[in-house]
Amino acid sequence: QVQLVESGGGLVQAGDSLRLSCAASGRTFSGYRMGWFRQAPGKEREFVAGITWSRGSTWYTDSVKGRFTISRDNDKNTVYLQMNNLKPEDTAVYYCAAAQGTSYTRSTASYGYWGQGTRLTVSS
């Protein structure tokens, strides 16, 4: 059974950096894609960044390009989201997600496994 556990959220100030982690277990993730999503209060969950486990190909939503970097450590079975120059509008609960396949999808419906989320608050 796939299990995803996020960590690393917290309260930071605008302009700060933070790294989120997602520990993945339960199977071999070769041939999977991993994604980070976020959900702000009163808003729908939205795609942030994705990575293919085997090749490490990445894709991002426009609002985080140049500020966020998704990566994975195969040995640790962990996916990271490095977030730099954080803005108040980045405030949200951040979720890690996994799905079979390597297409560069962004929809929540295309990911079948989800973590419990970690909260990030960015103060101005």
Side-chain angles (χ1 to χ4, degrees), residues 17-76:
S17 297
L18 198 68
R19 189 178 75 166
L20 304 181
S21 299
C22 171
S25 61
R27 63 157 296 124
T28 301
F29 290 92
S30 174
Y32 271 59
R33 60 182 178 274
M34 309 294 290
W36 283 100
F37 289 74
R38 65 187 180 187
Q39 188 166 18
K43 295 188 176 181
E44 292 187 353
R45 192 170 299 187
E46 65 172 359
F47 172 82
V48 176
I51 187 167
T52 58
W53 194 273
S54 298
R55 287 197 170 193
S57 301
T58 60
W59 60 105
Y60 300 90
T61 193
D62 286 346
S63 63
V64 307
K65 283 181 181 177
R67 298 191 299 123
F68 290 12
T69 302
I70 187 172
S71 63
R72 85 272 186 255
D73 185 324
N74 289 347
D75 291 337
K76 296 182 178 180

